[in-house]
Amino acid sequence: MDPTAAAFFQKLAANREEDCSCLDCGAKNPQWASVSNGIFLCLNCSGRHRGLGVHVSFVRSVNMDVWRPEQLLAMELGGNAAFRRLLADRGLAKLPLAEKYSAPAVAEYRTLLQACARQAAIAADSQTATKPVETVAPPATVIPPAMVQAADAPQAGVAGPTTAATTAASMPVETAPPQGQKLDVWSDELWG
């Protein structure tokens, strides 16, 4: 096991009780995670998530896999509590698994989580250029409340509905893709 990841997950579990049970079934001490959704899962539910496809739920073992910093940031920025709030606020909690994770609101959440994790990784990289990894504070970035609020909630100074996707699109990104190309933050280059 990666000692950095082990310490990260121990600290996360100590500070976030809701991450100490599987999001989908409630089983205690989940040992798997959906990086895409920033949630923790038991072994059985991780198998169901693998069946959804990596574009919906990219599953990793908390103990056996090597984790990239960007993936750890996605787990830090996400979490079971935020995802449960999203499901409850959008009326998705009781849907079957495939419908729940394929819902447009959940896809928007994934998009914003990915953008926030990428932005936090860029910020962390700029900090580590001058400091050892051990002394870098966790990113202050948090997932904006827009991720768990209604997608059509009006925002001051913005005409029309605001969604998590438009919030993510308006976030500053240090490296933009060439015009006409989409930025693939889940590419092998970033997540491997």
Side-chain angles (χ1 to χ4, degrees):
M1 174 179 210
D2 177 10
T4 303
F8 169 83
F9 286 117
Q10 286 175 351
K11 185 176 180 180
L12 204 59
N15 294 317
R16 296 195 330 204
E17 185 178 322
E18 62 277 1
D19 290 343
C20 295
S21 61
C22 175
L23 181 104
D24 288 343
C25 74
K28 298 294 181 197
N29 196 26
Q31 297 300 304
W32 294 83
S34 169
V35 181
S36 317
N37 298 293
I39 59 173
F40 291 89
L41 304 164
C42 69
L43 177 62
N44 288 336
C45 291
S46 73
R48 292 184 192 105
H49 275 253
R50 286 186 189 276
L52 297 173
V54 295
H55 64 289
V56 173
S57 189
F58 182 62
V59 178
R60 314 252 333 148
S61 167
V62 170
N63 295 317
M64 295 182 284
D65 288 323
V66 174
W67 287 73
R68 289 180 165 217
E70 297 86 358
Q71 295 169 326
L72 295 174
L73 286 167
M75 297 307 297
E76 180 179 3
L77 295 171
N80 288 4
F83 199 82
R84 277 192 185 107
R85 239 184 351 264
L86 170 80
L87 295 177
D89 290 351
R90 301 294 176 87
L92 303 171
K94 301 217 185 268
L95 288 178
L97 189 80
E99 288 179 43
K100 181 187 307 182
Y101 287 94
S102 298
V106 175
E108 289 176 18
Y109 179 91
R110 277 193 300 273
T111 299
L112 188 54
L113 179 62
Q114 293 166 10
C116 288
R118 185 168 193 275
Q119 192 64 25
I122 291 168
D125 283 346
S126 68
Q127 287 180 354
T128 58
T130 58
K131 298 179 184 177
V133 174
E134 294 80 21
T135 64
V136 175
T141 308
V142 294
I143 300 226
M147 288 182 61
V148 292
Q149 294 174 351
D152 58 357
Q155 189 176 26
V158 177
T162 301
T163 65
T166 59
T167 303
S170 67
M171 290 181 63
V173 176
E174 212 165 281
T175 308
Q179 189 167 359
Q181 291 183 359
K182 285 180 97 175
L183 177 63
D184 182 8
V185 297
W186 289 119
S187 69
D188 287 341
E189 181 180 303
L190 184 60
W191 297 97

